[in-house]
Amino acid sequence: MHIDLKRIAVAYGGTDACRVALERAAELAKRTGAGLDLISVGIPIVPLGGFGWVAPYEDTHHVDALVRERVEEAATMVDSSIETETHACMGTRAPEIVAAAASAGASLIVMGAVHHTQLERLFIGSTANRVIRLARVPCLVASGATPARRILAAADDSPFGESAIHAALSLAAATGAEVRCVHVARRPAGDSVELESHASELKEHLAAFVKRSRENLAQLMPDGLRPPEISVSLRFGEVCEEILAEVEAFGAD
């Protein structure tokens, strides 16, 4: 799956995290010539005499005005050389972001990373997580203050793993980033000699799969473009913990 970066959608809510997302998306657009679709979503609720909030069903013009003001503010922060469209939406954030991005023909959705507490994640959840689950295109959750220079793709030898590798390589081709693929396997029983032999076979298989995935992507890319090289890393243990450990070891952005 080659990410053809012709249009990039950005979810913008006026927060610092959203500004970081906008910066990352604008950098990608500048490098690739993509257009930007700035999406802001308002929830149709109004204050009720200082005692809470209520869905009004009718009088939402002030919320709509706020959303339009917010998305126009985002447009002023984008270089004038980048073709930009604004989308002021009303409703539930994640579905509206996904629908607006799909309507615009965006091939990538960029969002800011908001770090919730465990309690907030339990009762509120994350808009970014919901968008990732609903979207049919790759999503980039931007949390760093600087552009990505190292991209880590966690993958197995499945079509889903190949899609992750293709997405990482497509982004790297646009940004000049270094790419690594990490695979986490269950630690086999046995002595260290057996483990070393098993690890050697797995890493060889992984390297062949990554090479094949890269060659498949090269056939999908426009003439004159080639995906960058990609290194491989094999780890044993609990998947999430080992991926995060590789993030630290590789210095992934």
mmCIF file of all heavy atoms in Angstrom, residues 152-156 182-187 233-247:
data_model
loop_
_atom_site.group_PDB
_atom_site.id
_atom_site.type_symbol
_atom_site.label_atom_id
_atom_site.label_comp_id
_atom_site.label_asym_id
_atom_site.label_seq_id
_atom_site.Cartn_x
_atom_site.Cartn_y
_atom_site.Cartn_z
ATOM 1 N N LEU A 152 9.946 3.805 12.912
ATOM 2 C CA LEU A 152 9.949 2.389 13.264
ATOM 3 C C LEU A 152 8.629 1.755 12.842
ATOM 4 O O LEU A 152 7.557 2.236 13.214
ATOM 5 C CB LEU A 152 10.140 2.217 14.777
ATOM 6 C CG LEU A 152 10.208 0.767 15.271
ATOM 7 C CD1 LEU A 152 11.488 0.082 14.778
ATOM 8 C CD2 LEU A 152 10.153 0.706 16.797
ATOM 9 N N ALA A 153 8.708 0.679 12.074
ATOM 10 C CA ALA A 153 7.524 -0.080 11.673
ATOM 11 C C ALA A 153 7.532 -1.411 12.410
ATOM 12 O O ALA A 153 8.482 -2.195 12.281
ATOM 13 C CB ALA A 153 7.528 -0.319 10.169
ATOM 14 N N ALA A 154 6.503 -1.675 13.199
ATOM 15 C CA ALA A 154 6.359 -2.968 13.868
ATOM 16 C C ALA A 154 5.526 -3.859 12.970
ATOM 17 O O ALA A 154 4.413 -3.500 12.592
ATOM 18 C CB ALA A 154 5.695 -2.792 15.230
ATOM 19 N N ALA A 155 6.049 -5.039 12.599
ATOM 20 C CA ALA A 155 5.358 -5.855 11.604
ATOM 21 C C ALA A 155 5.648 -7.336 11.783
ATOM 22 O O ALA A 155 6.670 -7.733 12.358
ATOM 23 C CB ALA A 155 5.778 -5.423 10.197
ATOM 24 N N ASP A 156 4.701 -8.145 11.285
ATOM 25 C CA ASP A 156 4.929 -9.577 11.119
ATOM 26 C C ASP A 156 4.810 -9.878 9.629
ATOM 27 O O ASP A 156 4.571 -8.986 8.822
ATOM 28 C CB ASP A 156 3.934 -10.406 11.940
ATOM 29 C CG ASP A 156 2.482 -10.102 11.557
ATOM 30 O OD1 ASP A 156 2.261 -9.408 10.537
ATOM 31 O OD2 ASP A 156 1.580 -10.563 12.270
ATOM 32 N N VAL A 182 10.757 -3.741 13.116
ATOM 33 C CA VAL A 182 10.965 -4.609 14.274
ATOM 34 C C VAL A 182 9.878 -5.677 14.302
ATOM 35 O O VAL A 182 8.713 -5.409 14.024
ATOM 36 C CB VAL A 182 10.967 -3.809 15.600
ATOM 37 C CG1 VAL A 182 9.632 -3.108 15.839
ATOM 38 C CG2 VAL A 182 11.299 -4.727 16.778
ATOM 39 N N HIS A 183 10.286 -6.897 14.616
ATOM 40 C CA HIS A 183 9.350 -8.005 14.796
ATOM 41 C C HIS A 183 9.610 -8.616 16.167
ATOM 42 O O HIS A 183 10.758 -8.866 16.539
ATOM 43 C CB HIS A 183 9.533 -9.062 13.710
ATOM 44 C CG HIS A 183 8.685 -10.280 13.920
ATOM 45 N ND1 HIS A 183 7.319 -10.257 13.798
ATOM 46 C CD2 HIS A 183 9.025 -11.548 14.274
ATOM 47 C CE1 HIS A 183 6.838 -11.464 14.054
ATOM 48 N NE2 HIS A 183 7.859 -12.262 14.348
ATOM 49 N N VAL A 184 8.541 -8.843 16.902
ATOM 50 C CA VAL A 184 8.655 -9.428 18.240
ATOM 51 C C VAL A 184 8.105 -10.851 18.207
ATOM 52 O O VAL A 184 6.957 -11.069 17.787
ATOM 53 C CB VAL A 184 7.893 -8.590 19.292
ATOM 54 C CG1 VAL A 184 8.068 -9.199 20.682
ATOM 55 C CG2 VAL A 184 8.383 -7.148 19.278
ATOM 56 N N ALA A 185 8.912 -11.807 18.628
ATOM 57 C CA ALA A 185 8.520 -13.216 18.617
ATOM 58 C C ALA A 185 8.495 -13.768 20.043
ATOM 59 O O ALA A 185 9.100 -13.206 20.957
ATOM 60 C CB ALA A 185 9.486 -14.031 17.766
ATOM 61 N N ARG A 186 7.762 -14.874 20.192
ATOM 62 C CA ARG A 186 7.735 -15.547 21.493
ATOM 63 C C ARG A 186 9.064 -16.245 21.728
ATOM 64 O O ARG A 186 9.605 -16.894 20.835
ATOM 65 C CB ARG A 186 6.595 -16.572 21.515
ATOM 66 C CG ARG A 186 6.442 -17.305 22.832
ATOM 67 C CD ARG A 186 5.261 -18.237 22.800
ATOM 68 N NE ARG A 186 4.020 -17.507 22.593
ATOM 69 C CZ ARG A 186 2.842 -18.103 22.419
ATOM 70 N NH1 ARG A 186 2.763 -19.426 22.383
ATOM 71 N NH2 ARG A 186 1.749 -17.372 22.256
ATOM 72 N N ARG A 187 9.582 -16.117 22.934
ATOM 73 C CA ARG A 187 10.869 -16.731 23.252
ATOM 74 C C ARG A 187 10.694 -18.252 23.334
ATOM 75 O O ARG A 187 9.890 -18.746 24.123
ATOM 76 C CB ARG A 187 11.409 -16.201 24.582
ATOM 77 C CG ARG A 187 12.791 -16.732 24.946
ATOM 78 C CD ARG A 187 13.272 -16.114 26.257
ATOM 79 N NE ARG A 187 13.463 -14.689 26.121
ATOM 80 C CZ ARG A 187 14.568 -14.126 25.625
ATOM 81 N NH1 ARG A 187 15.573 -14.889 25.222
ATOM 82 N NH2 ARG A 187 14.659 -12.818 25.534
ATOM 83 N N SER A 233 15.091 -5.588 12.906
ATOM 84 C CA SER A 233 15.438 -5.912 14.290
ATOM 85 C C SER A 233 14.481 -6.988 14.782
ATOM 86 O O SER A 233 13.270 -6.894 14.573
ATOM 87 C CB SER A 233 15.332 -4.666 15.183
ATOM 88 O OG SER A 233 15.543 -5.009 16.545
ATOM 89 N N LEU A 234 15.026 -8.016 15.428
ATOM 90 C CA LEU A 234 14.223 -9.103 15.991
ATOM 91 C C LEU A 234 14.329 -9.075 17.502
ATOM 92 O O LEU A 234 15.429 -8.986 18.053
ATOM 93 C CB LEU A 234 14.708 -10.449 15.463
ATOM 94 C CG LEU A 234 14.024 -11.693 16.032
ATOM 95 C CD1 LEU A 234 12.564 -11.751 15.590
ATOM 96 C CD2 LEU A 234 14.755 -12.955 15.604
ATOM 97 N N ARG A 235 13.182 -9.142 18.177
ATOM 98 C CA ARG A 235 13.149 -9.161 19.635
ATOM 99 C C ARG A 235 12.278 -10.309 20.116
ATOM 100 O O ARG A 235 11.373 -10.763 19.412
ATOM 101 C CB ARG A 235 12.596 -7.836 20.179
ATOM 102 C CG ARG A 235 13.563 -6.671 20.101
ATOM 103 C CD ARG A 235 12.966 -5.401 20.679
ATOM 104 N NE ARG A 235 13.952 -4.351 20.800
ATOM 105 C CZ ARG A 235 14.684 -4.135 21.899
ATOM 106 N NH1 ARG A 235 14.525 -4.898 22.970
ATOM 107 N NH2 ARG A 235 15.571 -3.155 21.937
ATOM 108 N N PHE A 236 12.565 -10.758 21.349
ATOM 109 C CA PHE A 236 11.775 -11.803 21.971
ATOM 110 C C PHE A 236 11.135 -11.273 23.243
ATOM 111 O O PHE A 236 11.782 -10.554 24.009
ATOM 112 C CB PHE A 236 12.660 -13.021 22.316
ATOM 113 C CG PHE A 236 13.156 -13.764 21.113
ATOM 114 C CD1 PHE A 236 14.423 -13.504 20.591
ATOM 115 C CD2 PHE A 236 12.368 -14.718 20.487
ATOM 116 C CE1 PHE A 236 14.886 -14.183 19.483
ATOM 117 C CE2 PHE A 236 12.826 -15.402 19.372
ATOM 118 C CZ PHE A 236 14.088 -15.136 18.864
ATOM 119 N N GLY A 237 9.854 -11.603 23.460
ATOM 120 C CA GLY A 237 9.194 -11.183 24.692
ATOM 121 C C GLY A 237 7.780 -10.708 24.448
ATOM 122 O O GLY A 237 7.133 -11.086 23.465
ATOM 123 N N GLU A 238 7.284 -9.852 25.366
ATOM 124 C CA GLU A 238 5.931 -9.306 25.264
ATOM 125 C C GLU A 238 5.935 -8.218 24.194
ATOM 126 O O GLU A 238 6.774 -7.325 24.190
ATOM 127 C CB GLU A 238 5.510 -8.734 26.618
ATOM 128 C CG GLU A 238 4.017 -8.521 26.773
ATOM 129 C CD GLU A 238 3.552 -7.245 26.092
ATOM 130 O OE1 GLU A 238 4.294 -6.237 26.175
ATOM 131 O OE2 GLU A 238 2.461 -7.241 25.489
ATOM 132 N N VAL A 239 4.964 -8.305 23.282
ATOM 133 C CA VAL A 239 5.011 -7.492 22.056
ATOM 134 C C VAL A 239 5.092 -5.993 22.348
ATOM 135 O O VAL A 239 6.000 -5.306 21.877
ATOM 136 C CB VAL A 239 3.787 -7.798 21.161
ATOM 137 C CG1 VAL A 239 3.766 -6.856 19.961
ATOM 138 C CG2 VAL A 239 3.825 -9.236 20.689
ATOM 139 N N CYS A 240 4.134 -5.469 23.123
ATOM 140 C CA CYS A 240 4.090 -4.023 23.355
ATOM 141 C C CYS A 240 5.365 -3.529 24.040
ATOM 142 O O CYS A 240 5.957 -2.529 23.631
ATOM 143 C CB CYS A 240 2.857 -3.677 24.190
ATOM 144 S SG CYS A 240 2.602 -1.907 24.404
ATOM 145 N N GLU A 241 5.797 -4.239 25.078
ATOM 146 C CA GLU A 241 6.996 -3.821 25.813
ATOM 147 C C GLU A 241 8.228 -3.809 24.912
ATOM 148 O O GLU A 241 9.060 -2.900 24.984
ATOM 149 C CB GLU A 241 7.224 -4.753 27.002
ATOM 150 C CG GLU A 241 6.191 -4.614 28.108
ATOM 151 C CD GLU A 241 6.452 -5.580 29.258
ATOM 152 O OE1 GLU A 241 7.443 -6.344 29.173
ATOM 153 O OE2 GLU A 241 5.663 -5.576 30.220
ATOM 154 N N GLU A 242 8.348 -4.822 24.065
ATOM 155 C CA GLU A 242 9.532 -4.914 23.209
ATOM 156 C C GLU A 242 9.518 -3.879 22.091
ATOM 157 O O GLU A 242 10.564 -3.359 21.701
ATOM 158 C CB GLU A 242 9.652 -6.334 22.630
ATOM 159 C CG GLU A 242 9.939 -7.398 23.670
ATOM 160 C CD GLU A 242 11.233 -7.144 24.442
ATOM 161 O OE1 GLU A 242 12.204 -6.642 23.826
ATOM 162 O OE2 GLU A 242 11.265 -7.426 25.651
ATOM 163 N N ILE A 243 8.340 -3.561 21.576
ATOM 164 C CA ILE A 243 8.257 -2.498 20.567
ATOM 165 C C ILE A 243 8.696 -1.174 21.181
ATOM 166 O O ILE A 243 9.481 -0.417 20.595
ATOM 167 C CB ILE A 243 6.827 -2.387 19.997
ATOM 168 C CG1 ILE A 243 6.501 -3.606 19.146
ATOM 169 C CG2 ILE A 243 6.681 -1.102 19.163
ATOM 170 C CD1 ILE A 243 5.050 -3.651 18.685
ATOM 171 N N LEU A 244 8.210 -0.884 22.393
ATOM 172 C CA LEU A 244 8.581 0.368 23.056
ATOM 173 C C LEU A 244 10.081 0.388 23.385
ATOM 174 O O LEU A 244 10.728 1.432 23.318
ATOM 175 C CB LEU A 244 7.763 0.552 24.328
ATOM 176 C CG LEU A 244 6.270 0.809 24.098
ATOM 177 C CD1 LEU A 244 5.509 0.852 25.429
ATOM 178 C CD2 LEU A 244 6.059 2.119 23.345
ATOM 179 N N ALA A 245 10.631 -0.788 23.720
ATOM 180 C CA ALA A 245 12.070 -0.868 23.978
ATOM 181 C C ALA A 245 12.869 -0.584 22.707
ATOM 182 O O ALA A 245 13.915 0.073 22.748
ATOM 183 C CB ALA A 245 12.427 -2.261 24.532
ATOM 184 N N GLU A 246 12.356 -1.056 21.573
ATOM 185 C CA GLU A 246 13.025 -0.788 20.300
ATOM 186 C C GLU A 246 12.920 0.686 19.917
ATOM 187 O O GLU A 246 13.838 1.256 19.324
ATOM 188 C CB GLU A 246 12.434 -1.669 19.194
ATOM 189 C CG GLU A 246 13.156 -1.591 17.860
ATOM 190 C CD GLU A 246 14.567 -2.159 17.925
ATOM 191 O OE1 GLU A 246 14.826 -3.067 18.751
ATOM 192 O OE2 GLU A 246 15.427 -1.698 17.130
ATOM 193 N N VAL A 247 11.801 1.314 20.262
ATOM 194 C CA VAL A 247 11.655 2.746 20.041
ATOM 195 C C VAL A 247 12.789 3.501 20.737
ATOM 196 O O VAL A 247 13.419 4.398 20.157
ATOM 197 C CB VAL A 247 10.284 3.255 20.575
ATOM 198 C CG1 VAL A 247 10.259 4.785 20.632
ATOM 199 C CG2 VAL A 247 9.149 2.736 19.710
#
